Each structure stands twice: as C-alpha cells, then as structure tokens.
Amino acid sequence: MNSMEKGTLVRWNSEKGFGFIKPDTANAQDVFIHISALKQMARKPVVGDQINYFSELQSDGKIKAIKANIEGVAIIAASSNRRDNKYNGQHNGQYKRKSLSGLLLPLLVVLGLGIFGFKKYEELTSTPVLTNQDVEQMQFNPVQNFSCEAGKTHCSQMRSCAEAKYYNRYCPDTKMDGDGDGIPCERQLCN
C-alpha cells in the first residue's frame, strides 16, 4: 500500500455506491472509489468532498481507492488496523465527544422534566397543613342522606329542620317557607 493521497470527489452515483476522485497531483488519472472504502464515515459522500485515500493498481491498469475517509467528517466505526487508527484517531475522539454531548443534553432535559413532574405530583397528592384560622373558617355540615321524594312538600312530612332546609333548597314545589325568609317550617321544626 502506498502513502495516503488526497483528492476531490468529482462524480458520485449514490444509487450504485461508487464514484471517482480527481487526485490533487497534476496529470493523474481519476481514481475509482466504492462506498465500501468509506463505510466507517458518519455520512455518505457528496461531489466536492475532499477525500483522503490509499490507492491500489488494479489488473486492468485502473487505480482504485481501497481505504478512504472524507475530510472533516466523523468516523463512526473504530478500525482494528493500527495503521488506520493512526490516521483516524483524531476523528474518532472528536466523534465520541460530540456523541456524548449529544446524549447529555437530552438526558438532562428528561431528568429535569422528571423532577418537575415529581414535584407537581407531590403538590397534588400531599395533605395540606391546616391552621386554626382555616379550621375556624370551615363550616361543618354533617352529611345528610336526603333526596327529593315525590309528594313531600309540607312541613308535616319532614322529620327534622335539616331535612326541611334540604327540601326547601333543592326540591321543587315545596310549601314550607310561608314568609319567604329562607327558613322553612319555623313554627314546627326550625324555631
């Protein structure tokens, strides 16, 4: 294998995965390159890319790039060949730093949202601490199991003042508040 050469990708067929490099050396013939020579790159090549490559003379007299990289593009697959690592080591380190920082930000966002959500959950499910003032302001009404029964409209049909007040407030057509002051059955139950 010769030393690493440089050139510009002048033609590329993305459907078939091959193209040609115009070497930087004067009067050199174009070099054939197949996508397999660039399989470790973070993206596919495009016309105009600067390509670093090793070349090999084929039996038909044509030159082929056998190991290559796109200048300025991250290498994503670590190579087992020590010679390749010598050339690609700098790019591998850059890619690893970028990928870690690329993962760190979303991880921090998810962590932040999780903490925020947990705090909101705690707020919604926590038992409030009541002060004496809160308790004094509360009106305690024992739960009554009243319901509007058809035909119950007069004080004589009620069993308690609480039931008369319930019927007067929630049931239609009651006749228990003769003076219209909001207090039903004043003579019989609510005196």
Side-chain angles (χ1 to χ4, degrees):
M1 209 182 299
N2 301 332
S3 63
M4 183 166 268
E5 301 172 58
K6 284 188 173 193
T8 305
L9 189 66
V10 291
R11 291 188 304 278
W12 184 256
N13 184 329
S14 58
E15 287 180 21
K16 295 188 177 180
F18 72 87
F20 293 91
I21 302 167
K22 176 83 172 158
D24 287 350
T25 57
N27 298 327
Q29 73 179 40
D30 287 355
V31 176
F32 175 83
I33 185 167
H34 188 265
I35 190 67
S36 62
L38 295 165
K39 63 184 173 193
Q40 78 276 13
M41 301 309 300
R43 69 165 172 82
K44 293 187 177 178
V46 293
V47 171
D49 279 343
Q50 289 296 308
I51 308 290
N52 300 316
Y53 62 95
F54 290 100
S55 64
E56 182 177 86
L57 184 61
Q58 302 294 301
S59 59
D60 61 2
K62 294 182 181 177
I63 301 173
K64 176 182 179 181
I66 52 171
K67 292 191 184 216
N69 65 53
I70 304 168
E71 202 165 283
V73 174
I75 296 172
I76 58 172
S79 175
S80 60
N81 186 326
R82 292 184 63 173
R83 185 171 185 170
D84 286 347
N85 285 340
K86 180 176 124 183
Y87 293 106
N88 298 336
Q90 177 185 357
H91 295 297
N92 280 339
Q94 288 172 351
Y95 180 75
K96 286 178 185 173
R97 277 190 297 267
K98 287 179 185 175
S99 65
L100 286 178
S101 64
L103 291 174
L104 190 58
L105 181 61
L107 182 63
L108 289 175
V109 168
V110 168
L111 185 61
L113 288 173
I115 291 170
F116 176 77
F118 182 73
K119 293 283 187 192
K120 284 296 179 188
Y121 171 79
E122 278 186 329
E123 284 178 24
L124 293 172
T125 59
S126 66
T127 304
V129 177
L130 299 176
T131 65
N132 287 340
Q133 185 179 5
D134 293 331
V135 173
E136 289 170 6
Q137 290 177 354
M138 290 181 178
Q139 294 179 359
F140 290 99
N141 293 325
V143 176
Q144 300 291 331
N145 291 327
F146 300 124
S147 62
C148 298
E149 295 175 24
K152 284 180 91 173
T153 57
H154 297 330
C155 292
S156 60
Q157 297 167 319
M158 302 295 131
R159 285 177 252 144
S160 67
C161 179
E163 184 180 20
K165 286 181 179 180
Y166 176 87
Y167 269 80
N168 193 47
R169 185 177 219 179
Y170 299 108
C171 302
D173 302 322
T174 59
K175 297 169 179 62
M176 295 182 271
D177 186 12
D179 58 5
D181 64 354
I183 301 172
C185 306
E186 290 175 281
R187 282 189 228 146
Q188 298 92 341
L189 300 170
C190 300
N191 46 6

